[in-house]
Amino acid sequence: MKKTVILGVPFDTYTMKEAADRVVEMLEENGQHIICTPNPEIVMEARKDRELMGILKAADMVTPDGVGVVWASKYSPVTLKERVSGYDLVLSIFERIRATEHTVYFFGGAPGVADQAAERMKAKYPGLKIVGVHNGYFNEKEERNIISDIKRAHPSLLLVGLGSPKQEKWIYNNLRLTGAKAAIGIGGSFDVMSGNLKRAPKIFCRLGLEWFYRLITQPTRIKRMMKLPKFVLTVLKEMK
Ligand code: UDP
């Protein structure tokens, strides 16, 4: 499978379907796999954060979570086929594994959110085996207990929603200790799965304006979102 590099980050050129199929294969292989789904904000962050860039380079799968990254790939040797967001990727994986023996652990979000998300996902994907849930706020001692809990639950797939870059660093440093076959950093996806946060209406997604919907509904993100125009300018300057 081909990769293409955008501002230093190597992206896999999978469609959503190919990416979901590949993750299911990973659950059946020996070894452990890390999956990251960076958006333009995270690409910009990685240019300043060497640890994060190192993790994105070492990850087993990197998919573009954002139309900005797909747009930027026009200026790279291989064009990305479509946006593969963490949220949609996870739902596609649930659909594929719900009737199998594969199990999932939900880690992240405010207290109660991942529990709510787990209940809703079990209802939406009958047969889905969620073997453990933990919120994403912890101190050092609690972190050790969380790792033991994940290890005991023995999930095939570990979903980590701590926000970026915390979740990528957490996965990189701890996946080995958890024993999970694969881990995906999924940002605020538990908030959406739980029903606490609405996803942008389809029309916004179709027009590539999901970022705009998030800006008007969560104006506190404005500072982070200022990285978007910087991303566009940097792509035009360095890649065009
Ligand atoms: N979060 C968490 N622990 C923390 C910080 C954040 O579990 O120490 C959760 C937070 O509750 C939210 C998610 O991480 O569910 C971050 O969501 P955001 O939309 O900011 O993710 P991003 O856009 O960074 O992927």
Side-chain angles (χ1 to χ4, degrees):
M1 181 42 78
K2 283 190 187 141
K3 289 215 175 216
T4 198
V5 178
I6 294 168
L7 301 185
V9 177
F11 282 89
D12 287 281
T13 57
Y14 291 117
T15 60
M16 175 64 75
K17 183 181 171 308
E18 290 164 345
D21 289 343
R22 178 69 196 116
V23 175
V24 176
E25 272 173 24
M26 288 173 178
L27 303 181
E28 280 147 21
E29 288 171 4
N30 288 328
Q32 296 181 295
H33 296 86
I34 295 179
I35 297 129
C36 300
T37 67
N39 58 19
E41 289 163 31
I42 299 173
V43 171
M44 291 310 279
E45 188 60 32
R47 286 164 64 86
K48 292 189 301 193
D49 181 337
R50 287 181 60 173
E51 186 187 351
L52 177 61
M53 184 61 96
I55 295 169
L56 295 177
K57 286 189 169 156
D60 300 281
M61 185 191 286
V62 179
T63 69
D65 188 345
V67 286
V69 182
V70 177
W71 163 80
S73 75
K74 283 198 304 195
Y75 303 109
S76 77
V78 191
T79 314
L80 294 170
K81 293 173 191 139
E82 60 181 339
R83 176 180 179 210
V84 181
S85 73
Y87 180 78
D88 291 317
L89 177 62
V90 165
L91 298 192
S92 303
I93 297 166
F94 286 169
E95 187 54 54
R96 283 164 173 73
I97 65 170
R98 69 191 179 90
T100 71
E101 291 309 305
H102 295 307
T103 56
V104 192
Y105 192 105
F106 283 17
F107 171 38
V113 170
D115 300 87
Q116 256 179 306
E119 287 316 308
R120 291 195 44 167
M121 291 301 108
K122 278 194 259 182
K124 192 165 172 202
Y125 297 95
L128 184 67
K129 293 160 197 73
I130 300 171
V131 288
V133 174
H134 203 287
N135 73 68
Y137 293 85
F138 48 85
N139 58 31
E140 246 175 67
K141 180 166 171 274
E142 285 160 341
E143 185 176 18
R144 282 196 294 277
N145 291 337
I146 294 169
I147 293 169
S148 307
D149 189 58
I150 300 172
K151 199 166 176 206
R152 255 196 317 274
H154 198 58
S156 327
L157 177 64
L158 173 61
L159 301 181
V160 184
L162 302 177
S164 193
K166 191 171 180 184
Q167 61 197 16
E168 285 79 14
K169 293 179 182 180
W170 195 92
I171 291 172
Y172 190 78
N173 293 323
N174 298 297
L175 178 62
R176 198 174 48 81
L177 304 174
T178 68
K181 287 280 182 170
I184 315 182
I186 57 161
S189 295
F190 293 135
D191 298 302
V192 182
M193 287 179 199
S194 66
N196 290 332
L197 188 69
K198 287 271 166 296
R199 233 192 150 196
K202 285 213 171 66
I203 180 78
F204 282 81
C205 298
R206 227 176 10 247
L207 294 174
L209 290 174
E210 190 174 355
W211 60 272
F212 179 67
Y213 179 83
R214 290 187 92 176
L215 182 63
I216 52 179
T217 52
Q218 295 173 270
T220 49
R221 298 176 74 98
I222 181 89
K223 191 158 166 271
R224 291 177 45 177
M225 293 192 69
M226 285 316 289
K227 288 203 181 122
L228 261 167
K230 276 195 200 135
F231 172 83
V232 172
L233 291 175
T234 313
V235 168
L236 292 175
K237 196 166 132 224
E238 294 187 17
M239 295 177 67
K240 198 171 171 189

